[in-house]
Amino acid sequence: MLEQLKDLHAQALDELNKVNNPRELELWRIRHLGKKSSLTKVLRSLATLPLEERRKGGAKANEIKKALESSLEEKEKLLQEALFTSPLESQRLDITLPGRPLPTGRLHPTNQALNEICDVFKNMGFQVIEGPDVEWDYYNFEALNIPQHHPARDMFATLWIDAGLGGKARLLRTHTSPMQIRLMERERPPIRAIVPGRAYRYEATDATHESMFYQVEGLAVDKGITLADLKGTLFDFCRCLFGEERKVRFRCDYFPFVEPGVEVAIGCSACDGAGCRLCSYSGWLEILGAGMVHPDVLARVDIDPELYSGFAFGLGVERIPMLRYGIDDIRLFYSNDLRFLRQF
Amino acid sequence: MKVSLKWLRDYVDIKLTPEELAERLTMAGLEVKGIQTMGGTWDNVVIGEVIALNPHPNADRLKLATVDLGTEQVSTVCGAPNIGLGQRVTFARIGARLIDPHTGEAIVLEPAEIRGVASEGMVCSEKELGISDSHEGILVLSPEAPIGTPLGAYLGDVIFDLDVTPNRPDCLSVIGIAREIAALTDEPLRLFPIHYEELEDSIDSFAAVDIADSDLCPRYCASLITGIKLASSPGWLQQRLNSCGMRPINNVVDVTNYVMLEYGQPLHAFDYHKLKGRQIIVRRAGSGETITTLDGSERALTPDILVIADKEEAVAIAGIMGGLDSEVTDKTDAILLESANFNQATIRRDCSHLQVQSEASIRFDKGLNSKLPLIPLKRATQLLLELAGGRAAKGIIDVYPRKSKPKPILLSAQEVKRLSGLKVNIDEILKVLKALGFECQEDDSGSQLSVSVPYWRSDVKCSADLVEEIVRIIGYEKIPITRLGSPLPQQKSKLSPSAQQSNLKEKLRNILAGFGFQEILTYSLVSLEKLQKLSPKLELKISPLKVANPMTREQEYLRTSLRAGLLSTLAHNQKFEQEGIRLFEIGKVFLPQHPPVIASEAKQSQEERELPQEKEMLCAMLSGPRTELSWQADNEPLDFFDAKGVVENLLNQLGLKASFNIGDDEILFPGRGADIIVEDDKVGIVGDVHPMVAQAFELSNAVCFMEVDVEKLLTMITGTKKYQPLSRFPSVTRDIALVIDEQVSYQTVENIIRSFPLVKHVTLFDLYRGEQIPKGKKSFAIRIVYQSPKHTLTDEEVDQTQEQMLSRLHQELGATLRD
Ligand SMILES: [Zn+2]
C-alpha cells in the first residue's frame, strides 16, 4: 500500500515536470488530484483495510495530497510568470517605431547661461536685481568716474537717445555698471547683489561684436571686503561654471570706476592654452572685468570709503555658451534661428 | 603701442625671454596683444649693394641688377621702380623664406627665370620680408648697412604690440614701458644725460611765445635751431620708427616722432622763417578762420578749437596737426621746435569735432602732465643738432602760466591690507614705489608714508591707486583667495520688488518652455517700418523713442511691444520649418510716457519719469500644425484655442483665474481675439493675428498670439495661492447635452451652471453642430461634478439642483436638453 502511494507521488511529480501551459496543468490536476484520480481511489480503498493500516495509509495519502497541492501551486506560479515574461506574439510591439511627439520648448542659450550664473551667486547670498536699459549719462558715465571728455569714453561706443546734451543726455546703457550707483543710492551696506541685463554699443557687428549683449553686474559692499574676497568669489564662480580643472587668470586691468582693477580670463578651451584663433593666440579668454569699487564712487553715494570697501564685476554672458559649445559667431544669438536655438 | 625690444634695452637690462616678459607685463596691466619676431625667418637674406643696373633684354620695365654681397656678386631681375645704383638692399638667396606679396602666405624662394634671364635670388620689398605691408618698391637700407651681413643681425628685433589702457599715457612711450619693466624685474632704469652746445644769442631775440588762453594751454616750451639741413634720417633711426609702425619722412620730422615715441611727449617743428612776426600765439580760433593741415585738407575752425598762431593766422591745430604753410621743407634752414602741454578735454573735443586723430592727439587726449615737455624738448634739440646740423639758440622759451602742485598721498601698510587682502610690510611698499619713481617719506611712527607722485603718473590720485601699484608689481597671483565673510544683506529691502519680478520671469519662462515653447530674445531696437506694420492701418499708437545715432535703420527705434520681434522671427524660421512653431519672449518694452501719477504713489522721482517706462511683457506666438508630422498624430493647424489654452494653463499655474472679453486690439483679427481679464483687470490679449499684419511680415500661415503684462501679474500673484482642504465626501458626476442658439456664448452657459454652490467642476467635452440638431443651433455636452464639503450628496439633492439649473438655462438662454 505504502509502496503504491510512493509510486503515485513520484509519477505525478514526473508528469508535472512535463507540464508546459495552464491547460496541461488543469488536466494534470484532474488526473492526480481530481475525484477520479488514482490517489482518490487509494483513499477510498482504505476503508476496506484494518484499522492500523488504514491509519498509516491515510496519513501517508494525505501527506502526498498536500505535497502535490503545493507542487501544483508552485507550478501555477511558474506558468504565470512565464506568461508575462514571454508574451503572446500578438502583443509584441515594434519598439523601434517613433514615440508620440511632444512639443519641446527650450530656454534661449543666453538665459540658460544667465540662470546658471545667477544660481551660483544666489548661493553666495547675492540678490538678483534689474535696472533700466535707457539710462542717464550720469549713471552710465559720470557717477562711474567717466566725466565728459574722459579718455575712457573711448572704451564705450554709445547709442544716444539725446544727442549733444552733455550730462543730461539719455542713452542706451553701455554696460550694467550704472546699477552699481542705483543700488548704492537705494541701499546701505551690507550690499550683495547681481544685476543681469542688456547692454548696447554703437558698433558694427561681426563674429565677435554685437550691438546688443547681456551682462551680469556684481556688487558687494561692506566693511572689510578685499581684493582677495573678489578673487575668491570669482574663482569660485569660474570653478562652478567651467569645472575644477580649468585654469583661471586674475590680472591687473583698468576700468575707471574700480581701483585696483582686475581682468579675469580662463584657459582657452579650444587650444588648451597653446594659442589659437579663438583666443587670439594668447591661450586665454577674457570673461570679465572687475575690481574694488573706486573710493570716489563710494563717496559719491555717501558711503565712507575709509570705513567701507567693496568689489564690483561685470561679466559677458554670451561668452559662456560660446566657450562651452564652441560657437564662433555671436550674431547667431539674437538672429533667433531655430536651427541654432534648438541645439541647446 | 608697438615697441621694439632692442630699443627697450637701451634703458633697461632684460633677462627674460620675450614670452616671459610679455606675461609679466600683461599680468601687471600692460597687456601684450602680440609678439612679432622680425628676422626669425631671414636666414637666407643678406645685405648687398647694387653695383650694376642694366636693362632687361626682353622687358622694358624690368632691370638686371648685379648685387655685391661682399664675398660674391650675384645677378637678379628686378622690377621695382625705386631700385638705384649704389643702394644697400636686402638680397634673398634661393631657399629664403619670404612672404608672397599677393597672397600674404609664407613661401620658399625657388630658382626662377624671368623672361629668359635667370635670377640667383631676389631683392626684397618690406612686405616680402614681413616687416610691413609696403610693396611699392624694394626696401632700401641706409648707406651704412654692412654689406654681406645677414639681415637678421642688422634688422632683427622683437616687436611687442601693447594694449595701453587710457589711464597710462606714460606707457605710450618707450621709456615709460622700460620703467615698468625695470620695476617688474628689479632692474635699474638707465636714462642718458642730455647736453648740447648753444649759440651766444638768446632765443628771446629770435622769437616770442604768448599763451592767450592759458586755461587750455598750461605750458608752452620751444627751442630754436638755425642752419639746419633737411635730409633722410640715418638707418638706425628709420629702423626704430619702422619698428614702432611709423614711417620715416626726413630727419627733422623723424626726430620729433622719435622723441615722442621715446618720452611720450608730442613735439612739432615749425619752419621758423614762415612764422609771421616771429611769434607764437596760443589762442582759440577766430570764427570763420580756416587752416590747411599737413594732410592737405582745409579745415574750418570754430572758436572752441585751440590753435597755434603766428602774428596773422593759425599755423597749427594745437596738439593735433600742423599746418601746411609752416611745414618743414627742404628749403627750411631754421626751425622752431614746440613741446607744449594742452588741456586734455580740449584736444578730445577738437578731435571729435574735426573728425581727425594723430599720434600727438592720442597722447594729449589721455592727459599729459605739464611737467613733461622740457626734457623731451632738450632731447629733440640735441638729436637735431647731431643729425641735421645747425646751431641752437641760447636757452629755451618756457611759458608756464599754470603750474600744478600735486599733494602727497598718505598710505599705510594697513590700508594696503584693507583693500587688497595682501599683507605687505613697509619696506616692500617702499621698494615698489621707488622703482616706479614715487618718492616716499615715512612719518615718525614708521607706519605711514607720505607719497609724492612722479609727474608722468598723473593717473595716481588716491591711496587706492597706490594699492594697485603695489599689488600689481608684487603680482596679482600673490593675492590670497578668500570667501566673502561679511554679513548677508537683509532679506527684505527696497530691492525686493525687483528680485520678485525676476523670480516671476524665471517661473514664466520655465512654464512656457514646459508647454513646448522655444524662448527667443530679440533686439530692443527695431525699424520704424516694422513698428508700423504691426497695425493694419500702418498707424503708430505710441510714438517710439528714437536713437539719435543709430547704426542701421533696422535698429533705430526702441520697441514698444515684443510683437515685431516675434513676427520677424516667425517669418525667418518659416523658411526652414515644416513643423509647427511655438515661440515666446519675455522682455522689456519701452514706452516714452509713464502712466499718470497717482498722488498716493508718487514715489517716482522726476528723473525716473523722464526716462521711458520700461515694462516687462510676455509675448508668445504659435503657427503651423499642432503636432509634428508623425505616424500617430493629427495634423490640424494650431488655432485660437491653443493660444487660449496656454493663457489659461499659465495663469492657473500661477494660481490665477482668467476670464475673457471680446478684444479689439488692432493686431487681432476682429472677432477672433480676446482681452484676458484677471481680477477685473485686463492683463493681456490673446487671439489670431490680423491677416494683414501677418501678410506685412510675409507670413504664409495663420498666427495665434498672446501677450501678457508681467508687471501686472506680479501685483496679482502675491499670496493668491491658498491651500484648500480636501473634501471628505464623495462627488457625483452628471453629463448633460444642451441645445442652444448659435449666438449664445459658452461663457454665459457656464456662468449659470457655476452659480449653483454644489457645482465643483464644469467641463465642456463636446461641441456639435450638424444634422441631428436644428439649423442655427449648437449643442454643448457638459460634464458637471457636484460635491458638498459638508455631507454626502443624495441623488435627490443632485436631481433637484440640476432641474433648477436646467430651468434657468431654459428661461435665460433658451437652452433645451438634447434627446
Ligand atoms: Zn585658444
Side-chain angles (χ1 to χ4, degrees):
Chain A
M1 161 93 341
L2 287 177
E3 278 305 303
Q4 197 190 347
L5 279 169
K6 253 189 189 165
D7 288 349
L8 270 176
H9 189 195
Q11 193 195 340
L13 284 180
D14 196 38
E15 282 180 27
L16 185 63
N17 266 335
K18 289 169 190 154
V19 164
N20 270 329
N21 56 50
R23 225 181 81 82
E24 285 172 18
L25 188 65
E26 179 60 10
L27 291 174
W28 179 89
R29 191 190 64 76
I30 292 164
R31 208 157 50 241
H32 295 286
L33 291 166
K35 282 176 189 152
K36 291 172 185 169
S37 69
S38 315
L39 192 62
T40 312
K41 280 178 197 155
V42 171
L43 277 168
R44 284 210 192 109
S45 71
L46 284 174
T48 61
L49 292 179
L51 182 68
E52 185 59 14
E53 248 177 274
R54 196 195 312 169
R55 231 186 51 216
K56 268 192 181 165
K60 185 68 185 171
N62 274 322
E63 188 189 312
I64 289 170
K65 192 178 176 200
K66 270 201 181 128
L68 284 179
E69 275 167 357
S70 88
S71 296
L72 171 75
E73 226 170 89
E74 249 170 65
K75 187 73 185 182
E76 244 176 347
K77 235 192 211 163
L78 277 174
L79 286 177
Q80 193 83 41
E81 278 167 21
L83 191 71
F84 289 126
T85 47
S86 61
L88 295 174
E89 204 51 35
S90 66
Q91 288 180 316
R92 192 181 290 278
L93 295 176
D94 176 0
I95 49 83
T96 66
L97 283 170
R100 276 190 194 90
L102 283 174
T104 37
R106 290 179 174 84
L107 298 187
H108 190 281
T110 298
N111 267 328
Q112 291 184 29
L114 265 176
N115 284 348
E116 247 184 284
I117 296 164
C118 292
D119 283 348
V120 172
F121 288 111
K122 275 187 203 167
N123 286 335
M124 297 183 199
F126 285 78
Q127 279 179 293
V128 182
I129 308 297
E130 291 185 38
D133 292 21
V134 180
E135 263 296 3
W136 295 108
D137 182 297
Y138 175 78
Y139 287 101
N140 196 76
F141 290 127
E142 282 185 26
L144 293 168
N145 293 343
I146 315 172
Q148 291 285 307
H149 307 301
H150 191 281
R153 289 218 177 195
D154 289 344
M155 298 159 76
F156 308 95
T158 309
L159 285 162
W160 296 93
I161 301 291
D162 307 309
L165 272 185
K168 284 297 283 177
R170 291 171 300 175
L171 49 78
L172 288 173
R173 64 177 172 193
T174 58
H175 47 181
T176 43
S177 308
M179 274 304 285
Q180 287 184 30
I181 306 297
R182 290 186 179 274
L183 277 166
M184 290 189 284
E185 278 180 348
R186 268 183 260 168
E187 278 296 312
R188 297 287 90 185
I191 297 172
R192 235 188 252 195
I194 55 167
V195 186
R198 292 180 170 194
Y200 306 83
R201 296 278 166 91
Y202 178 82
E203 202 153 36
T205 57
D206 61 28
T208 51
H209 296 91
E210 248 296 6
S211 56
M212 179 187 94
F213 51 92
Y214 279 74
Q215 279 193 339
V216 174
E217 193 75 13
L219 179 73
V221 183
D222 201 4
K223 287 177 186 158
I225 292 182
T226 68
L227 194 58
D229 295 332
L230 172 62
K231 195 174 178 181
T233 302
L234 296 179
F235 273 43
D236 247 4
F237 166 77
C238 289
R239 275 175 208 160
C240 285
L241 259 85
F242 303 105
E244 300 277 338
E245 300 301 314
R246 189 64 69 85
K247 279 192 291 181
V248 184
R249 183 177 78 179
F250 191 81
R251 73 169 197 92
C252 179
D253 202 356
Y254 168 72
F255 306 97
F257 40 100
V258 290
E259 192 71 24
V262 172
E263 178 217 85
V264 175
I266 59 165
C268 177
S269 51
C271 64
D272 229 357
C276 68
R277 239 186 61 179
L278 181 67
C279 59
S280 315
Y281 302 96
S282 69
W284 294 99
L285 295 159
E286 185 196 335
I287 56 162
L288 57 82
M292 300 302 290
V293 181
H294 197 289
D296 293 351
V297 172
L298 289 175
R300 200 166 285 126
V301 290
D302 284 329
I303 294 176
D304 183 354
E306 289 183 11
L307 224 57
Y308 291 95
S309 55
F311 64 65
F313 57 84
L315 164 73
V317 177
E318 292 85 356
R319 290 229 86 174
I320 287 165
M322 285 181 86
L323 300 183
R324 194 177 281 169
Y325 306 121
I327 301 165
D328 55 6
D329 193 336
I330 194 172
R331 288 168 295 190
L332 285 166
F333 281 80
Y334 308 114
S335 52
N336 292 306
D337 192 310
L338 289 175
R339 293 170 300 174
F340 172 74
L341 297 178
R342 284 181 178 155
Q343 293 180 31
F344 309 102
Chain B
M1 166 90 187
K2 284 189 171 170
V3 66
S4 131
L5 183 62
K6 266 188 182 169
W7 196 349
L8 284 169
R9 286 194 157 128
D10 282 0
Y11 310 104
V12 61
D13 288 335
I14 296 172
K15 297 183 180 113
L16 302 174
T17 65
E19 289 72 24
E20 288 167 343
L21 181 61
E23 160 82 13
R24 290 300 306 274
L25 286 169
T26 301
M27 285 299 290
L30 205 57
E31 187 183 2
V32 178
K33 283 186 297 184
I35 305 172
Q36 188 195 358
T37 308
M38 290 228 296
T41 57
W42 294 342
D43 5 309
N44 273 309
V45 185
V46 288
I47 297 168
E49 183 181 337
V50 182
I51 52 169
L53 265 184
N54 293 302
H56 190 286
N58 306 324
D60 290 348
R61 287 163 66 190
L62 298 180
K63 290 188 182 109
L64 298 180
T66 309
V67 181
D68 179 12
L69 302 180
T71 51
E72 57 180 320
Q73 292 179 355
V74 291
S75 63
T76 180
V77 177
C78 182
N82 67 332
I83 192 164
L85 213 55
Q87 283 172 344
R88 302 278 157 105
V89 295
T90 60
F91 185 81
R93 289 195 166 100
I94 305 302
R97 285 179 284 162
L98 300 174
I99 307 290
D100 183 325
H102 306 295
T103 64
E105 276 164 33
I107 50 159
V108 174
L109 190 62
E110 286 171 10
E113 233 177 57
I114 300 171
R115 302 259 177 129
V117 180
S119 256
E120 294 173 63
M122 67 184 280
V123 180
C124 306
S125 71
E126 291 186 18
K127 190 164 185 187
E128 284 159 339
L129 291 168
I131 295 174
S132 78
D133 274 341
S134 164
H135 189 58
E136 295 86 54
I138 53 161
L139 168 62
V140 180
L141 302 171
S142 77
E144 66 261 36
I147 294 172
T149 307
L151 186 64
Y154 180 65
L155 274 190
D157 200 351
V158 176
I159 308 300
F160 295 101
D161 190 0
L162 297 165
D163 198 359
V164 177
T165 51
N167 59 326
R168 293 301 301 275
D170 63 306
C171 285
L172 293 174
S173 75
V174 181
I175 290 178
I177 296 162
R179 188 180 285 115
E180 288 283 299
I181 296 170
L184 283 168
T185 58
D186 211 0
E187 295 283 346
L189 181 75
R190 278 191 302 271
L191 292 175
F192 302 100
I194 296 164
H195 179 75
Y196 53 85
E197 298 283 321
E198 293 177 338
L199 286 171
E200 290 286 307
D201 301 328
S202 159
I203 188 167
D204 296 326
S205 63
F206 291 93
V209 170
D210 175 32
I211 302 178
D213 289 306
S214 66
D215 52 333
L216 306 185
C217 176
R219 189 178 193 182
Y220 197 101
C221 303
S223 68
L224 190 113
I225 305 169
T226 57
I228 213 157
K229 259 212 147 53
L230 225 73
S232 291
S233 301
W236 65 267
L237 203 164
Q238 295 201 16
Q239 247 182 64
R240 288 200 162 171
L241 292 179
N242 272 324
S243 71
C244 292
M246 288 191 94
R247 248 2 15 240
I249 295 165
N250 58 48
N251 49 7
V252 173
V253 175
D254 291 354
V255 164
T256 60
N257 283 335
Y258 183 83
V259 175
M260 174 179 71
L261 290 171
E262 195 177 29
Y263 284 88
Q265 168 69 45
L267 300 149
H268 185 70
F270 293 101
D271 185 328
Y272 170 65
H273 294 300
K274 290 184 190 153
L275 295 175
K276 284 151 218 137
R278 297 176 162 195
Q279 83 184 101
I280 290 282
I281 303 161
V282 187
R283 59 164 169 83
R284 287 179 165 89
S287 53
E289 197 169 0
T290 61
I291 184 172
T292 305
T293 43
L294 283 174
D295 57 358
S297 51
E298 185 176 333
R299 299 173 186 277
L301 304 172
T302 57
D304 48 322
I305 293 173
L306 187 70
V307 296
I308 312 299
D310 61 14
K311 202 179 165 200
E312 289 172 11
E313 57 181 359
V315 292
I317 301 170
I320 300 175
M321 201 176 275
L324 200 60
D325 287 346
S326 59
E327 187 191 13
V328 175
T329 66
D330 22 356
K331 294 188 190 80
T332 303
D333 75 338
I335 57 166
L336 182 111
L337 197 57
E338 162 199 294
S339 178
N341 185 263
F342 302 110
N343 178 276
Q344 171 266 334
T346 304
I347 301 297
R348 260 187 89 76
R349 211 184 39 226
D350 293 354
C351 280
S352 78
H353 189 119
L354 295 166
Q355 300 277 306
V356 64
Q357 255 196 349
S358 65
E359 286 289 333
S361 75
I362 63 166
R363 286 172 172 80
F364 280 126
D365 82 3
K366 308 285 184 301
L368 296 175
N369 194 286
S370 63
K371 285 192 182 141
L372 179 59
L374 202 56
I375 295 173
L377 178 64
K378 289 181 174 168
R379 166 71 169 153
T381 307
Q382 175 201 23
L383 266 177
L384 277 172
L385 294 175
E386 281 170 23
L387 303 178
R391 307 286 298 276
K394 187 176 179 180
I396 52 172
I397 295 172
D398 185 359
V399 185
Y400 198 177
R402 299 217 168 195
K403 289 200 172 85
S404 56
K405 258 198 198 146
K407 273 197 209 133
I409 303 167
L410 298 178
L411 182 74
S412 64
Q414 172 48 36
E415 181 66 3
V416 178
K417 174 90 184 348
R418 183 181 78 97
L419 282 183
S420 71
L422 187 69
K423 203 168 165 352
V424 284
N425 61 41
I426 212 94
D427 292 337
E428 287 171 283
I429 295 175
L430 280 168
K431 191 180 151 206
V432 169
L433 291 180
K434 263 193 184 152
L436 290 167
F438 292 80
E439 278 168 34
C440 308
Q441 274 194 316
E442 280 180 74
D443 74 351
D444 297 337
S445 68
S447 64
Q448 183 140 289
L449 294 177
S450 168
V451 182
S452 301
V453 178
Y455 67 80
W456 59 84
R457 289 302 302 275
S458 346
D459 61 303
V460 175
K461 293 184 185 106
C462 62
S463 57
D465 294 326
L466 289 174
V467 172
E468 179 177 275
E469 293 305 306
I470 292 154
V471 180
R472 75 185 182 90
I473 297 297
I474 291 176
Y476 270 37
E477 66 279 2
K478 305 254 165 58
I479 300 165
I481 300 172
T482 57
R483 284 215 166 101
L484 276 173
S486 59
L488 285 180
Q490 288 211 315
Q491 198 60 41
K492 269 222 155 162
S493 69
K494 288 174 199 150
L495 309 174
S496 306
S498 175
Q500 281 165 5
Q501 184 167 304
S502 92
N503 285 343
L504 174 61
K505 286 194 296 178
E506 191 179 339
K507 192 168 180 181
L508 292 172
R509 284 191 184 106
N510 288 332
I511 293 172
L512 282 164
F515 288 171
F517 281 73
Q518 170 67 51
E519 187 188 25
I520 59 167
L521 294 169
T522 64
Y523 294 106
S524 308
L525 292 169
V526 293
S527 69
L528 187 64
E529 191 199 356
K530 275 189 182 162
L531 288 174
Q532 285 167 333
K533 285 198 295 197
L534 290 171
S535 148
K537 291 178 210 144
L538 302 178
E539 283 171 357
L540 288 179
K541 275 248 169 75
I542 305 166
S543 61
L545 220 54
K546 188 175 184 291
V547 171
N549 59 332
M551 278 296 300
T552 63
R553 290 212 37 219
E554 275 301 297
Q555 298 192 15
E556 193 174 5
Y557 289 86
L558 278 159
R559 61 184 182 190
T560 50
S561 79
L562 304 178
R563 297 170 183 181
L566 275 134
L567 287 167
S568 304
T569 305
L570 263 185
H572 169 78
N573 284 291
Q574 261 186 1
K575 287 176 243 160
F576 315 107
E577 279 292 321
Q578 273 87 51
E579 314 293 356
I581 302 178
R582 296 168 170 85
L583 300 174
F584 79 98
E585 178 170 13
I586 294 176
K588 284 175 177 177
V589 301
F590 302 83
L591 310 175
Q593 302 290 323
H594 284 258
V597 192
I598 301 158
S600 62
E601 290 178 4
K603 52 192 172 187
Q604 269 182 322
S605 69
Q606 187 54 33
E607 278 212 331
E608 276 173 60
R609 294 189 61 80
E610 284 173 25
L611 291 177
Q613 185 196 1
E614 298 189 9
K615 203 158 126 178
E616 292 283 355
M617 297 294 287
L618 182 171
C619 190
M621 291 201 186
L622 310 75
S623 183
R626 181 169 300 124
T627 51
E628 274 175 49
L629 182 63
S630 164
W631 62 290
Q632 272 246 327
D634 71 276
N635 243 0
E636 294 293 304
L638 288 158
D639 65 18
F640 174 86
F641 297 104
D642 290 286
K644 188 178 174 187
V646 170
V647 174
E648 288 168 327
N649 282 294
L650 182 77
L651 294 174
N652 185 23
Q653 291 221 17
L654 299 175
L656 298 174
K657 178 108 182 72
S659 62
F660 297 84
N661 291 345
I662 290 168
D664 60 355
D665 192 288
E666 59 179 353
I667 197 175
L668 299 174
F669 194 9
R672 298 178 73 89
D675 290 344
I676 307 166
I677 310 292
V678 178
E679 294 171 8
D680 299 325
D681 200 356
K682 176 176 163 183
V683 299
I685 58 173
V686 57
D688 291 2
V689 171
H690 199 296
M692 283 170 73
V693 174
Q695 222 166 42
F697 281 86
E698 286 165 19
L699 285 158
S700 42
N701 288 337
V703 181
C704 305
F705 155 86
M706 61 164 279
E707 188 181 66
V708 171
D709 181 334
V710 174
E711 289 175 23
K712 258 191 191 163
L713 283 189
L714 184 66
T715 63
M716 293 169 171
I717 59 165
T718 37
T720 44
K721 260 191 191 170
K722 263 215 172 111
Y723 155 76
Q724 298 281 318
L726 311 178
S727 173
R728 291 185 290 119
F729 305 100
S731 58
V732 176
T733 301
R734 297 281 170 88
D735 292 349
I736 57 171
L738 297 172
V739 176
I740 203 161
D741 279 351
E742 194 62 75
Q743 292 87 333
V744 179
S745 76
Y746 171 72
Q747 186 74 55
T748 51
V749 175
E750 189 182 310
N751 285 349
I752 289 177
I753 297 173
R754 280 197 186 275
S755 67
F756 290 84
L758 288 181
V759 173
K760 184 91 180 159
H761 299 295
V762 183
T763 312
L764 175 74
F765 66 90
D766 193 28
L767 167 61
Y768 177 79
R769 296 178 176 95
E771 286 174 16
Q772 290 163 42
I773 53 169
K775 254 202 159 162
K777 302 241 177 206
K778 60 191 169 186
S779 163
F780 291 132
I782 299 170
R783 172 160 296 175
I784 306 169
V785 178
Y786 299 90
Q787 193 177 39
S788 161
K790 292 187 189 113
H791 63 282
T792 303
L793 291 175
T794 61
D795 276 349
E796 292 76 50
E797 268 179 294
V798 176
D799 290 345
Q800 216 174 14
T801 307
Q802 194 152 309
E803 237 164 73
Q804 287 168 7
M805 184 187 290
L806 289 172
S807 88
R808 262 193 70 191
L809 285 166
H810 181 69
Q811 280 166 16
E812 293 175 30
L813 305 176
T816 54
L817 270 184
R818 188 174 161 193
D819 353 278

